[in-house]
């Protein structure tokens, strides 16, 4: 989906931009290689980068081989010496030779940190990538970005990190594999084991419901409806306990349960429930973080764009919904990212253009 004209204009005004306080240096922990650091204090929300990608391909279906198509495009363009110089400047380089340099494309050089620890986050505005600080940063502090989406489940996190060459075990989200029944006697993981059993049951019910509905017959549809209802009715409080658990393993588990419930509610056509679940997801993605991050002052909402996408989806699910909180949160998030507050319709189109429309969440 194309970006609304108002935002396409903004993208043109912002890009290209690289913040002058960014430098590329060797990290103190040499297993991390080079990283991006700041030379001066920066406030929360500072724009660090607004850049168009070196190469982009348009994807129509899910199965298209994006990596192969990108590689072909890059090989073609490498014949242009200007492109080749920029492209090869992305490679790791030798930290002992050039300990410090202004990075031309800092996003490509940033190391990963778990979403609850990353100091930066990025979003696409059309084909312009915007990168901002999520908290105030001090001089000589390393800037980090999560390579995984905020809502990614444990298994997907580990896949992404493995694929990106981040050693598993250096990041809390990579270290937390799903515990097996009877494994370990860590007190903190006992509620996680209970929750996992409920989560596994919900996963199985969702797979069965999808298979049943493809059967098409009335009995199959009735069976799917029953299974979806079962998933939707799982109370998060029962699954995770009444107290908000602080162990990081709970974030992806809670997000996964809500995602399964969202799909089930959509299958049932229960749009009021869909709206309620998007709201729960927005709050959960925002608040679970706040519990972890002492660095953030007060209970300020994390400005991750996935949170914005869920508020917008909440507003779209049931037009008559009382949207006071959602409109407020949407306004704060869009102002944070864009420096302005366009209408809800424009923000909804922006989310669609980022692949964060209600059907994709
Ligand atoms: C986009 S590059 C980041 C820049 C890189 N450190 C360099 O020296 O060019 C991604 C690579 O950085 C390393 N890396 C990123 N995040 C890391 C982390 N949290 N711990 C250890 N290594 C990390 C991995 O080797 C990964 O393949």
């Amino acid at each position: 989906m194309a970006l609304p004209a108002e935002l396409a204009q903004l993208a043109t005004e912002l890009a290209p931009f690289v913040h002058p306080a960014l430098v590329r240096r060797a990290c103190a922990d040499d297993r991390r290689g080079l990283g991006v650091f700041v030379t001066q204090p920066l406030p929360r929300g500072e724009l660090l980068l607004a850049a168009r990608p070196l190469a982009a391909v348009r994807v129509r279906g899910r199965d298209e081989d994006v990596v192969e198509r990108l590689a072909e495009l890059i090989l073609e363009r490498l014949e242009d010496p200007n492109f080749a110089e920029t492209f090869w400047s992305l490679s790791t380089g030798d930290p002992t030779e050039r300990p410090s340099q202004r990075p031309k494309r800092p996003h490509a050089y940033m190391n990963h940190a778990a979403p609850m620890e990353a100091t930066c986050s990025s979003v696409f505005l059309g084909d312009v990538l915007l990168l901002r600080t999520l908290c105030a940063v001090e001089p000589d502090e390393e800037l980090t970005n999560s390579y995984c989406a905020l809502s990614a489940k444990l298994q997907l996190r580990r896949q992404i990190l493995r694929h990106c060459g981040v050693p598993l075990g250096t990041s809390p989200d990579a270290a937390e594999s799903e515990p097996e029944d009877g494994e370990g006697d860590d007190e903190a993981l006992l509620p996680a084991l209970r929750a996992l059993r409920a989560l596994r049951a919900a996963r199985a019910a969702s797979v069965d419901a999808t298979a049943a509905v493809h059967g098409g017959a009335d009995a199959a549809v009735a069976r799917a409806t029953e299974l979806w209802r079962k998933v939707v009715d799982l109370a998060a409080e029962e699954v995770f306990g009444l107290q908000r658990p602080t162990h990081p393993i709970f974030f992806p588990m809670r997000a996964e349960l809500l995602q399964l419930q969202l799909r089930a509610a959509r299958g049932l056509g229960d749009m009021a429930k869909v709206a309620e679940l998007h709201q729960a997801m927005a709050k959960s993605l925002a608040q679970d973080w706040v519990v972890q991050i002492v660095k953030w002052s007060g209970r300020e909402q994390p400005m991750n764009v996935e949170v914005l996408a869920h508020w917008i989806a909440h507003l779209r699910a049931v037009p008559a919904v009382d949207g006071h909180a959602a409109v407020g949160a949407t306004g704060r998030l869009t102002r944070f990212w864009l420096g302005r507050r366009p209408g809800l319709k424009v923000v909804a189109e922006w989310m669609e253009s980022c692949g964060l429309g209600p059907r994709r969440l």
Side-chain angles (χ1 to χ4, degrees), residues 203-274:
R203 277 180 203 150
S206 301
V207 171
D208 291 349
T210 310
V213 87
H214 285 309
D218 285 355
V221 173
R223 173 85 184 123
T225 304
E226 186 194 320
L227 290 165
W228 277 327
R229 184 51 66 196
K230 217 163 104 185
V231 175
V232 165
D233 289 344
L234 268 177
E237 289 79 15
E238 262 170 53
V239 175
F240 297 105
L242 283 175
Q243 297 210 315
R244 188 170 284 279
T246 52
H247 197 286
I249 197 171
F250 284 104
F251 308 145
M253 280 168 56
R254 201 199 310 263
E256 189 184 347
L257 177 66
L258 287 168
Q259 269 162 354
L260 288 168
Q261 291 183 308
L262 256 175
R263 262 170 240 137
R266 239 185 257 126
L268 291 170
D270 184 346
M271 293 314 280
K273 192 74 198 173
V274 168

Side-chain angles (χ1 to χ4, degrees), residues 3 8 19 21 48 72 89 103 108 120 127 145 159 186 188 193 195 221 235 257 269 301 308 311 316 345 353 357:
L3 195 66
H19 199 290
L48 301 173
E72 268 169 28
S89 77
C120 302
D127 65 354
N145 189 25
Q159 266 173 16
D186 181 353
L193 277 172
V221 173
L257 177 66
Q301 190 185 49
L308 172 61
W311 280 122
R316 288 176 71 182
K345 189 169 167 283
S353 76

Side-chain angles (χ1 to χ4, degrees), residues 24 32-34 92 108-112 147 164-167 170:
R24 197 176 180 216
R32 298 169 68 87
L34 299 181
T92 303
Y109 304 130
M110 279 171 79
N111 284 319
H112 163 84
Y147 294 180
C164 293
V166 176
T170 62

